[in-house]
């Protein structure tokens, strides 16, 4: 059957009628506002150097946002940009336009990471939310989520050396070094072993934006990053967290800083929680559960949340983009509701 002249336009109209979630990103996110920040990663091109011009930096940034929201590999990202009309429309590409390949996407993400732009963009957007009426209000919630990476097949001696931050790299080939993540660590949670990193986030209660985050290896205890990501500019001094953050020392430190601690209590083998303590946990959980929604949304949208990167530096970039992607989507949702 012969294609009609306006077939693509008709298909786009149908996508819009069915609620294309990417349309609100172009409507509400000020992409051009940070072009100047992104341009710094472009090296000055010599006029005598041939070859195709580089892809637009805003286009590449939008591609990384797509990739982080849907947890796509570089190859899958390239394929889906070519395959999905909604992706092409979001990126402003037509069927005849060039599409960045997987290597170009990887390189741009590396350049952003090396320039520290992922964190800078995250902080810039947080300031943008605040200027547009979304101040951090009603307190803050802190929690951490394990982000797995492919398990390493090391010998016992190799694992012992890695734990001491002394990986036996002199005995590894160059190819093996590229495939070994010596920054990730094991952790046991709820009886299961996990290997990877942790995404520690702090969320404001009112608007549910990720206001700050920190990335560590998975073995770092949640409470070790607690105070470092608290927001002193939140309009409320209430702080919510689960029982992993509760200790007499933490509560005293929070009190000294002027915060009001709402930390879950935990029962022990010879000391069960009283009914009063259980009621207190249920009351706090109604607020604290808002942060669980964020991890749930990321898992539901992205499916298997395994990082396909090697090393802490790249993990920070990918996890930072994931947190930024959530905030962008949250901002658009709030703008739609308030419109």
């Amino acid at each position: 059957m012969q294609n009609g002249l306006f077939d693509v336009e008709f298909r786009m109209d149908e996508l819009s009628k069915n609620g294309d979630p990417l349309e609100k990103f172009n409507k509400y996110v000020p992409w051009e506002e940070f072009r100047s920040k992104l341009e710094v990663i472009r090296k000055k091109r010599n006029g005598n150097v041939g070859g195709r011009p580089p892809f637009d930096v805003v286009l590449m940034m939008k591609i990384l946002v797509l990739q982080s929201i849907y947890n796509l590999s570089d190859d899958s990202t390239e394929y889906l940009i070519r395959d999905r009309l909604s992706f092409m429309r979001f990126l402003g590409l037509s069927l005849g336009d060039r599409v960045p390949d997987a290597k170009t996407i990887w390189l741009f993400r590396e350049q952003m990471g090396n320039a520290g732009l992922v964190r800078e963009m995250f902080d810039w957007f947080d300031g943008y939310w605040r200027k547009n009426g979304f101040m951090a209000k009603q307190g803050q919630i802190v929690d951490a989520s394990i982000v797995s990476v492919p398990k390493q097949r090391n010998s016992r001696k190799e694992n012992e050396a890695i734990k001491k931050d002394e990986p036996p790299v002199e005995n590894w080939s160059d190819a093996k070094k590229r495939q070994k993540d010596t920054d990730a660590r094991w952790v046991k949670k709820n009886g299961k072993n996990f290997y990877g990193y942790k995404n520690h986030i702090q969320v404001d209660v009112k608007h549910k934006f990720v206001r700050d985050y920190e990335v560590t290896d998975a073995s770092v205890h949640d409470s070790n990053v607690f105070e470092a990501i608290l927001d002193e500019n939140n309009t409320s001094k209430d702080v919510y967290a689960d029982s992993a953050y509760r200790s007499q020392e933490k509560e005293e430190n929070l009190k000294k800083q002027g915060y009001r601690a709402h930390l879950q209590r935990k029962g022990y083998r010879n000391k069960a929680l009283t009914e009063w303590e259980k009621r207190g946990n249920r009351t706090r959980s109604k607020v604290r559960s808002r942060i669980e929604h964020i991890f749930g949304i990321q898992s539901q949208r992205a499916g298997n949340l395994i990082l396909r990167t090697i090393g802490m530096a790249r993990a920070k970039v990918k996890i930072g983009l994931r947190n930024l992607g959530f905030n962008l989507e949250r901002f658009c949702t709030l703008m739609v509701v308030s419109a």
Side-chain angles (χ1 to χ4, degrees), residues 100-101 107 211:
D101 60 19
L107 178 61
R211 298 291 181 172

Side-chain angles (χ1 to χ4, degrees), residues 21-34 58 60-69 90 112 118 121-126 128-129 134 207-211 294 297-298 301 320-336:
L22 295 177
E23 282 192 293
K24 61 185 179 182
F25 279 84
N26 279 337
K27 182 176 181 179
Y28 295 113
V29 177
W31 297 108
E32 288 296 325
E33 289 286 332
F34 48 88
V58 175
M60 296 303 300
M61 177 64 189
K62 293 171 76 172
I63 288 175
L64 294 186
V65 169
L66 269 181
Q67 186 179 52
S68 66
I69 292 174
F90 169 66
M112 283 196 68
V118 174
M121 297 301 299
F122 180 91
D123 292 338
W124 185 92
F125 268 114
D126 186 63
Y128 182 80
W129 316 141
F134 297 106
H207 298 115
K208 207 166 72 173
F209 282 117
V210 178
R211 298 291 181 172
I294 296 176
I297 288 171
Q298 290 179 336
R301 174 65 64 81
L321 285 168
R322 182 175 297 169
N323 292 332
L324 174 59
F326 171 83
N327 277 356
L328 291 173
E329 191 167 15
R330 179 63 181 166
F331 173 68
C332 292
T333 299
L334 292 175
M335 292 298 290
V336 170

Side-chain angles (χ1 to χ4, degrees), residues 137-178:
K137 297 181 178 181
Q138 298 183 6
Q140 50 197 308
I141 317 166
V142 178
D143 204 351
S145 176
I146 298 171
V147 182
S148 297
V149 299
K151 297 177 181 178
Q152 304 289 292
R153 305 301 178 186
N154 302 320
S155 67
R156 181 173 297 179
K157 288 185 178 180
E158 287 176 332
N159 281 330
E160 290 176 355
I162 291 171
K163 288 180 181 179
K164 297 177 182 178
D165 292 325
E166 299 174 356
V169 293
E170 66 278 359
N171 299 324
W172 292 348
S173 66
D174 290 340
K176 187 173 183 177
K177 291 176 185 177
R178 288 193 293 268

Side-chain angles (χ1 to χ4, degrees), residues 119 142 202 212-214 222-231 250 257:
R119 184 70 208 208
V142 178
Q202 176 262 117
D212 201 358
Y213 72 92
E214 187 60 63
D222 297 358
S223 62
N224 290 351
V225 192
F226 192 14
E227 289 100 337
I229 58 176
L230 292 179
D231 181 9
K250 293 298 180 185
Q257 297 176 58

Side-chain angles (χ1 to χ4, degrees), residues 276-337:
W276 178 81
E277 290 173 329
K278 291 178 181 179
R279 286 196 299 270
N281 275 353
R282 287 193 292 270
T283 300
R284 288 186 288 269
S285 292
K286 292 178 182 179
V287 176
R288 198 183 62 80
S289 63
R290 294 177 67 83
I291 202 169
E292 299 293 345
H293 297 164
I294 296 176
F295 296 134
I297 288 171
Q298 290 179 336
S299 298
Q300 184 179 26
R301 174 65 64 81
N304 190 4
L305 289 177
I306 293 181
L307 285 185
R308 301 294 178 181
T309 58
I310 302 294
M312 176 65 79
R314 288 171 177 165
K316 286 184 175 182
V317 171
K318 293 283 283 188
I319 293 173
L321 285 168
R322 182 175 297 169
N323 292 332
L324 174 59
F326 171 83
N327 277 356
L328 291 173
E329 191 167 15
R330 179 63 181 166
F331 173 68
C332 292
T333 299
L334 292 175
M335 292 298 290
V336 170
V337 172

Side-chain angles (χ1 to χ4, degrees), residues 170-225:
E170 66 278 359
N171 299 324
W172 292 348
S173 66
D174 290 340
K176 187 173 183 177
K177 291 176 185 177
R178 288 193 293 268
Q179 298 300 318
K180 289 296 182 181
D181 192 334
T182 58
D183 295 331
R185 292 291 184 271
W186 287 96
V187 67
K188 192 169 188 177
K189 184 176 181 179
N190 297 328
K192 295 183 179 180
N193 292 318
F194 298 90
Y195 183 73
Y197 299 91
K198 272 186 182 178
N199 180 21
H200 306 260
I201 66 173
Q202 176 262 117
V203 179
D204 72 301
V205 175
K206 172 65 175 178
H207 298 115
K208 207 166 72 173
F209 282 117
V210 178
R211 298 291 181 172
D212 201 358
Y213 72 92
E214 187 60 63
V215 178
T216 68
D217 67 71
S219 68
V220 174
H221 195 271
D222 297 358
S223 62
N224 290 351
V225 192

